[in-house]
Amino acid sequence: MTGPMQGLRILEVGDLGEVAGKLLADAGADLILVEPPAGARSRRTGPFVEDLPTREGSLHYAYLNTNKRGVTLDLSQPDGQDLWRRLVAQTDIVIDGAGLEVLDGFGLGYDAFSEAEHLIWCSITPFGRTGPWRHRPTSDLISMALGGIVMMCGYDDHSLPPVRPEGEHSRYIAGEYAVVGILAALWQRVQLGLGQLVDVSMHEAISSTTEGAYMNWEYLGRNPERQTGRHAGTAERWQLLCADGKYAVLFGGGVPRAKKALQGLLAWMDEYDAAADLHDPKYEQLLHIRPAEGGELRKHFADTVAGFVGNRPMEEVYRRGQEIGMPWGPVRLPEENLDDPHWADRDFWVTASVAGHPELVRYPRAGYRMGQTPIEFRTPAPALGEHNAAVFINELGVTSDELARLQERGVV
Amino acid sequence: MTSDKPAAPLPLEGVRVCDFTWIIAGPQATRIFADLGAEVIKVENESYLDAVRGSAGLHNNFHRNKQGITANIHHPKGREVVERLIAKSDIVIENYSSGAFARMGFPYQRLKELREDIIYVSLSGFGHEGRDADYATWGPTAQGVSGMTAVSGLEDQPPAGWGYSYLDHTAGFYAAIGAMMALWHRRQTGEGQHLDMAQVETGMVLAGVPMLDFQVNGRHYERIGNGSRWPAVAPHGIYPTADEDRWIAIATETDEHWAVLCEVLERPELATEPRFASNEVRFQAREALDAALGRLTARFDADSLAAALSERGVPAGACQTIEDRMEHDPQLAARGFYPTAEHPELGMHRFEGLPMHFSRARWRIDRGAPVLGEDTRTVLRDLLGYDEREIAEMTAEAAI
């Protein structure tokens, strides 16, 4: 059994197509990544195996290109362009993340294939294919700033700059929305018999991923103010330092919303003689009033809980908190989840190889756990040109002599 | 309002979603379906009201284009309404705590009895299976667990994390994608399925690279503020400008960018100063460099500095507020990103659009979120086959 998208043929070109391509390839589509003969930019993005920036050593490339096949093609040469046209003729979907200048610049973009009526062509660009900013230079930092995420993240102290959350999220957000667009176009193709161009704007994708910001401005006429480790605009501290130097998130400021949770919390604090005056029935009214109306009573309660939490290790705060019904969390590093048995219970990890490393490693499987069409790991990210022969000879009918000549001339 | 050609069809027209979502993560998923033309029917009741209704604007944004009905599942007739709706739906989606929907009488098995090929999406913090399935999350909890909070912040400060529930969006995106993939699979095979989604997992899939880095290189992530780790380039950061709490992001990736930056900042001689002359030395001295740059950028207006740099090819941009985006961003305006629609109580408002244009389709912002029970009568009569008398009776009995 393979994933839900098996049977679909996809071509992917360019940096910004990588996330969308991964999601569809992991789901079973036959996806061919088309790289320039010198290799995709992703291969030059760290981290690298043993910190050596080799062509096959990028872990960034390794993660974002699982389950894809890979060919090389110089799209600036006429023979490369010919092969590209032949590849497109055999494909359902093209993911174009190369920027407005590349495929369109060579006359190899969507417009060149308007006769291929079934074709779905997803263009992922920083700002969209139209509008005054469409050629503006950008990067993850700039896109996250323009899209509004940066201004919502940072510290209470506004003399410190706002913070761009780490992790190339601009690419993920745009890539996720691109898959939405592709799947919608695919669904519509069944009804219409026609494919189409899907023009995804990363700037818009980020701009629609800032939760309460829109409400604050459109309805209340204010800009939310960034704060340390919690929602912009929230009055209470959520992020507390535990006894082992790690942080925990006490969502809701540490004040229970249900009687059972309050009792559990007090019983736990009693084990350490730390409940102070919190057994006083007057604190029960906190269960029924809104946080903003809690005043001194709520503040004292929260401060006492914070003092208690500061004397317990983070993992205990997290687990005991959850067990008594509080939605509390640890502030873990991503890799700390590798040791949490809950994810193994769910078969979340895929154990597989990564190029240049002798041992198997665990990859996150997928964001959805599908009962009938589980997301499987078929192949690691392709080596540069790994499938040139399989694709060009077996599927396009290029002879092995021709392929050798194309290789000599740097076309593939 | 439409994103593109008014006459174009809606891609998901004909798909029906029975929507038991609340707060944000689930509603984000069904919002995507509704924007794309699916018939999304949100079911509520006084005993399981959407907690976000208290934030009317937020609720309006996440439930636009949806229909809303009330049905009391604790009343036999109310339950029958829900069961008839499920039998006529392609997808049932909920984001209650793990197990809650089953306790309401709707385990997957029951959904399948009502409709054999149903696609059931459950979205909880830790999923329905696994030893911690009973743990609960809100966005900030899931961000803490998955590692997204810890890695974000300045080097010498505590984690800054995220100033909102980013993972509510992300979980919603993956739920929508998963449901659409399941629809595709059902079309090929006739087979429905259950998607057991965990919000924390949708955060962990965004952290695959650091997880590989740890396993291969033993590297633990340290916060790097607004710097760039890969490639290791400088200057790369967020700097003050002339106005209070107004910041500019600048990402120089080459020596050329650096030279242009020095020129635009009216200090061309800095570009060739030995301590800043190559990326390598700049990266080593990035702290001193950032401090020096901040003193220079503080003399400029953010938007004109960003424009001057962008025009010459240096990636730069103001740290935009929501006010900037909705009132002054020429790109979002040109793309029609904030169309308007009416809500019965809140009136006409702008909405965030869907971030894409289709050449043969459109998305929509047709209406605001439903007020409680706004579409009960229409849905019961036109879709579920109740007559006016039955509807009146059920209303009197508080079944709906």
Side-chain angles (χ1 to χ4, degrees):
Chain A
M1 198 154 38
T2 49
M5 305 314 290
Q6 61 181 299
L8 279 177
R9 167 65 76 89
I10 304 178
L11 289 180
E12 177 199 318
V13 188
D15 227 24
L16 293 185
E18 214 170 18
V19 170
K22 175 185 169 65
L23 295 177
L24 292 163
D26 286 354
D30 173 17
L31 186 145
I32 300 174
L33 170 67
V34 179
E35 297 182 71
R41 178 175 159 174
S42 177
R43 294 180 180 276
R44 299 188 287 279
T45 304
F48 298 94
V49 175
E50 291 170 15
D51 290 335
L52 299 171
T54 63
R55 205 172 66 183
E56 302 299 340
S58 163
L59 295 170
H60 179 271
Y61 173 79
Y63 181 61
L64 289 170
N65 293 281
T66 50
N67 294 317
K68 300 178 184 176
R69 297 199 288 165
V71 301
T72 53
L73 214 46
D74 181 350
L75 295 168
S76 70
Q77 299 197 46
D79 288 342
Q81 299 179 349
D82 176 56
L83 288 171
W84 168 254
R85 287 191 193 93
R86 289 158 69 185
L87 279 175
V88 173
Q90 298 191 357
T91 202
D92 294 291
I93 297 162
V94 175
I95 302 175
D96 175 6
L100 289 178
E101 291 77 18
V102 180
L103 289 175
D104 293 301
F106 291 126
L108 302 172
Y110 182 67
D111 292 344
F113 298 96
S114 50
E115 280 168 32
E117 289 196 326
H118 70 288
L119 192 63
I120 292 168
W121 191 290
C122 182
S123 157
I124 309 170
T125 56
F127 297 99
R129 299 175 66 84
T130 57
W133 286 2
R134 67 189 183 280
H135 294 299
R136 182 174 180 160
T138 190
S139 73
D140 179 64
L141 179 78
I142 307 308
S143 290
M144 295 283 276
L146 290 171
I149 289 179
V150 165
M151 213 43 194
M152 294 181 73
C153 303
Y155 297 96
D156 295 351
D157 176 357
H158 283 193
S159 72
L160 295 171
V163 170
R164 176 274 327 258
E166 169 80 350
E168 299 273 337
H169 291 284
S170 57
R171 284 157 188 274
Y172 283 96
I173 298 167
E176 289 149 5
Y177 262 120
V179 175
V180 166
I182 288 167
L183 293 174
L186 193 60
W187 191 254
Q188 190 171 25
R189 191 174 80 175
V190 175
Q191 327 293 325
L192 289 184
L194 295 171
Q196 59 186 306
L197 176 69
V198 185
D199 167 11
V200 176
S201 157
M202 178 188 274
H203 183 46
E204 289 163 35
I206 297 169
S207 291
S208 61
T209 307
T210 57
E211 200 203 36
Y214 153 85
M215 169 195 73
N216 269 283
W217 182 251
E218 178 68 11
Y219 299 83
L220 306 171
R222 66 187 187 204
N223 287 303
E225 303 275 339
R226 63 190 185 276
Q227 302 189 125
T228 310
R230 65 196 188 286
H231 274 44
T234 292
E236 291 162 319
R237 265 192 313 167
W238 293 352
Q239 181 169 277
L240 296 172
L241 193 60
C242 301
D244 52 359
K246 297 180 173 183
Y247 289 89
V249 186
L250 272 61
F251 184 75
V255 181
R257 300 289 300 273
K259 182 139 189 185
K260 213 172 134 200
L262 174 63
Q263 287 164 344
L265 178 61
L266 293 176
W268 174 22
M269 292 172 84
D270 282 340
E271 288 173 32
Y272 301 94
D273 225 0
D277 67 332
L278 299 190
H279 282 284
D280 191 318
K282 70 181 177 191
Y283 291 106
E284 284 188 26
Q285 55 185 292
L286 291 175
L287 303 174
H288 311 295
I289 55 178
R290 288 200 302 206
E293 293 156 0
E296 276 306 308
L297 203 62
R298 189 175 168 96
K299 185 177 178 309
H300 177 72
F301 193 101
D303 287 348
T304 310
V305 172
F308 169 66
V309 161
N311 285 315
R312 308 307 315 151
M314 177 267 269
E315 221 34 51
E316 180 189 329
V317 171
Y318 163 47
R319 303 249 172 222
R320 288 293 298 268
Q322 284 282 354
E323 281 156 22
I324 62 172
M326 306 290 277
W328 293 357
V331 178
R332 282 183 181 158
L333 289 166
E335 59 271 20
E336 289 177 294
N337 281 295
L338 291 161
D339 298 326
D340 186 330
H342 177 71
W343 309 122
D345 289 352
R346 291 175 56 73
D347 201 19
F348 178 70
W349 308 113
V350 175
T351 303
S353 63
V354 63
H357 184 65
E359 286 148 40
L360 297 178
V361 296
R362 282 173 290 167
Y363 292 71
R365 184 183 298 275
Y368 17 74
R369 188 165 179 270
M370 304 184 77
Q372 295 302 315
T373 53
I375 304 298
E376 307 277 6
F377 191 102
R378 304 189 304 282
T379 52
L384 188 62
E386 182 178 338
H387 300 95
N388 280 357
V391 172
F392 295 133
I393 297 176
N394 303 348
E395 295 176 21
L396 292 189
V398 173
T399 66
S400 49
D401 286 353
E402 278 175 85
L403 187 60
R405 280 195 297 275
L406 289 168
Q407 202 156 357
E408 260 168 46
R409 287 168 34 226
V411 175
V412 302
Chain B
M1 289 298 297
T2 63
S3 71
D4 208 349
K5 298 171 184 172
L10 293 158
L12 297 187
E13 203 152 10
V15 173
R16 187 174 298 127
V17 180
C18 172
D19 183 358
F20 271 93
T21 67
W22 67 327
I23 321 287
I24 296 175
Q28 167 70 76
T30 51
R31 164 173 131 176
I32 287 172
F33 272 89
D35 290 355
L36 290 167
E39 183 183 349
V40 177
I41 301 173
K42 180 172 157 82
V43 186
E44 274 178 284
N45 174 258
E46 302 293 348
S47 67
Y48 45 95
L49 267 191
D50 189 339
V52 159
R53 278 200 178 272
S55 301
L58 198 64
H59 183 266
N60 200 17
N61 197 30
F62 279 100
H63 295 284
R64 79 275 182 100
N65 298 321
K66 302 179 190 175
Q67 300 177 59
I69 69 167
T70 49
N72 177 7
I73 57 162
H74 306 296
H75 188 292
K77 288 183 182 169
R79 173 168 298 272
E80 198 199 317
V81 168
V82 173
E83 296 194 339
R84 281 199 204 180
L85 176 60
I86 291 169
K88 291 199 166 214
S89 295
D90 300 290
I91 297 166
V92 176
I93 173 167
E94 51 91 1
N95 64 315
Y96 296 120
S97 295
S98 181
F101 200 49
R103 287 192 297 275
M104 287 161 71
F106 300 105
Y108 176 47
Q109 197 50 44
R110 178 69 189 134
L111 302 177
K112 263 192 359 186
E113 285 164 14
L114 293 166
R115 176 155 176 165
E116 173 62 29
D117 64 353
I118 197 80
I119 292 162
Y120 168 44
V121 181
S122 61
L123 170 56
S124 58
F126 287 79
H128 284 194
E129 278 186 49
R131 69 193 69 192
D132 298 336
D134 291 337
Y135 287 13
T137 61
W138 290 67
T141 325
Q143 284 150 205
V145 180
S146 60
M148 309 185 62
T149 302
V151 301
S152 296
L154 301 176
E155 276 163 293
D156 51 355
Q157 294 286 330
W162 293 71
Y164 66 101
S165 289
Y166 172 57
L167 280 190
D168 279 4
H169 290 286
T170 308
F173 298 159
Y174 281 96
I177 292 170
M180 289 167 84
M181 286 180 173
L183 262 185
W184 182 253
H185 174 73
R186 193 185 74 177
R187 201 188 160 272
Q188 313 301 314
T189 63
E191 181 180 66
Q193 58 182 312
H194 174 202
L195 280 72
D196 167 20
M197 298 202 31
Q199 183 178 31
V200 177
E201 289 175 347
T202 69
M204 290 198 291
V205 297
L206 308 182
V209 176
M211 286 188 195
L212 291 186
D213 193 17
F214 170 74
Q215 294 175 87
V216 171
N217 295 319
R219 180 180 287 117
H220 284 294
Y221 265 53
E222 284 163 20
R223 290 183 282 281
I224 55 155
N226 296 311
S228 174
R229 205 189 304 257
W230 294 293
V233 290
H236 186 285
I238 290 175
Y239 305 95
T241 65
D243 296 302
E244 197 193 335
D245 205 29
R246 181 80 174 152
W247 305 81
I248 184 170
I250 302 172
T252 60
E253 291 161 348
T254 63
D255 287 337
E256 264 180 304
H257 287 167
W258 167 240
V260 170
L261 175 62
C262 294
E263 241 177 77
V264 171
L265 290 174
E266 295 159 3
R267 292 289 303 278
E269 74 284 1
L270 266 186
T272 49
E273 248 184 51
R275 63 186 176 131
F276 296 142
S278 75
N279 179 59
E280 204 175 351
V281 295
R282 284 196 300 276
F283 190 76
Q284 290 305 323
R286 60 190 183 278
E287 213 172 303
L289 175 62
D290 282 345
L293 268 183
R295 286 190 290 275
L296 297 177
T297 55
R299 296 160 39 224
F300 291 81
D301 162 75
D303 290 298
S304 26
L305 182 55
L309 290 168
S310 297
E311 271 162 32
R312 298 189 58 187
V314 180
C319 295
Q320 296 205 103
T321 61
I322 181 64
E323 178 182 359
D324 293 326
R325 287 183 280 143
M326 293 194 79
E327 310 300 339
H328 309 298
D329 184 317
Q331 180 67 16
L332 294 176
R335 301 261 300 175
F337 186 64
Y338 292 113
T340 54
E342 187 155 13
H343 180 279
E345 289 166 4
L346 300 170
M348 286 298 280
H349 276 285
R350 292 174 292 178
F351 290 82
E352 290 167 346
L354 204 65
M356 62 193 75
H357 289 193
F358 294 96
S359 63
R360 287 196 172 104
R362 65 185 175 101
W363 46 265
R364 61 171 172 181
I365 304 286
D366 283 348
R367 60 178 277 185
V371 296
L372 193 61
E374 184 175 340
D375 304 286
T376 304
R377 198 162 152 225
T378 327
V379 169
L380 264 60
R381 193 187 53 209
D382 299 346
L383 179 66
L384 303 181
Y386 289 96
D387 62 32
E388 294 290 353
R389 188 183 51 83
E390 291 171 308
I391 293 171
E393 270 173 28
M394 288 196 289
T395 308
E397 293 170 33
I400 55 175

